[in-house]
Amino acid sequence: SAVISQKPSRDICQRGTSLTIQCQVDSQVTMMFWYRQQPGQSLTLIATANQGSEATYESGFVIDKFPISRPNLTFSTLTVSNMSPEDSSIYLCSVEALGQGNTEAFFGQGTRLTVV
Amino acid sequence: QQQVKQSPQSLIVQKGGISIINCAYENTAFDYFPWYQQFPGKGPALLIAIRPDVSEKKEGRFTISFNKSAKQFSLHIMDSQPGDSATYFCAASGAGSSYKLIFGSGTRLLVRP
């Protein structure tokens, strides 16, 4: 399994500012994923982050708004830039790791962001 | 074609009853279908998953039924308990995209004592 720690767990930010969310995994993983979960909604993939290469962004998400770093195999950051109230969401880090006999996706507890 | 449609949006079941949540997909290249359970303030946790080579998978009180021809799969929770009250998401991945999961819209389950 994989244990994922996200920081901060929650934050309230002023519009126009930026917030960097950290994701730390207790084991080395190849691929890390960042998801957004808007209030009461489903999860939407923002980007895939591989160590040593540029992150791959999904349709509707751009690097200027959500820059991602992946400096090593256990850590990644997601920055939410120039925030607006529409960015208020839960941001989740995910990794794929060996679970109970199979590879599966594990999630952090999420970062609850409120933009005022 | 990448959508996963989930129903119902919410579900109320009496303790001991059966909870059934349904999902449908369009992309026939999907080859991995997990269900996630999410409690308030927590990240989703894998509950059970199935691949298209089997039609049913059971783990304890949780069963996935998979209909490849209809492109549908469902979660059955037998003997539902108040502790099962959570939001459940179906998801799908594959088509060369590894674990880039496409999630359904979620079902909020309430099990009454």
Side-chain angles (χ1 to χ4, degrees), chain A residues 35 37 42 58 96 103 105 108, chain B residues 36 38 98-101 103-104:
Chain A
Y35 287 84
Q37 185 176 24
S42 186
E58 298 300 307
E96 56 176 27
T103 304
Chain B
Y36 282 84
Q38 186 178 30
S98 186
Y99 284 87
K100 288 169 55 176
L101 294 165
F103 281 85

Side-chain angles (χ1 to χ4, degrees), chain A residues 78-90:
Chain A
L78 169 76
T79 298
V80 186
S81 303
N82 188 24
M83 289 182 286
S84 67
E86 293 69 36
D87 295 320
S88 297
S89 288
I90 299 171

Side-chain angles (χ1 to χ4, degrees), chain A residues 16-77:
Chain A
T17 63
S18 298
L19 176 71
T20 296
I21 302 168
Q22 299 180 4
C23 177
Q24 179 75 52
V25 190
D26 68 341
S27 57
Q28 293 184 339
V29 294
T30 303
M31 301 177 74
M32 298 180 76
F33 305 89
W34 287 98
Y35 287 84
R36 181 174 73 182
Q37 185 176 24
Q38 294 177 305
Q41 302 296 315
S42 186
L43 289 80
T44 301
L45 182 65
I46 297 172
T48 303
N50 291 335
Q51 194 266 336
S53 62
E54 291 283 332
T56 303
Y57 289 82
E58 298 300 307
S59 176
F61 298 96
V62 295
I63 187 171
D64 290 345
K65 176 67 176 178
F66 299 100
I68 289 172
S69 77
R70 182 77 200 274
N72 57 52
L73 291 173
T74 63
F75 188 78
S76 177
T77 67

Side-chain angles (χ1 to χ4, degrees), chain B residues 17-94:
Chain B
I18 302 173
S19 304
I20 302 174
I21 305 171
N22 301 298
C23 283
Y25 63 98
E26 298 171 356
N27 189 341
T28 55
F30 285 147
D31 63 2
Y32 177 67
F33 302 90
W35 284 90
Y36 282 84
Q37 180 187 55
Q38 186 178 30
F39 293 103
K42 303 291 185 182
L46 179 67
L47 193 61
I48 186 172
I50 197 168
R51 292 195 180 271
D53 53 342
V54 296
S55 61
E56 186 175 280
K57 183 174 181 180
K58 183 177 181 179
E59 291 184 1
R61 295 184 294 109
F62 302 93
T63 300
I64 298 180
S65 296
F66 185 82
N67 186 329
K68 188 174 181 178
S69 61
K71 292 185 286 185
Q72 296 174 348
F73 58 110
S74 60
L75 175 69
H76 292 62
I77 305 174
M78 312 299 288
D79 187 25
S80 298
Q81 300 296 312
D84 297 330
S85 298
T87 300
Y88 292 81
F89 293 97
C90 64
S93 71

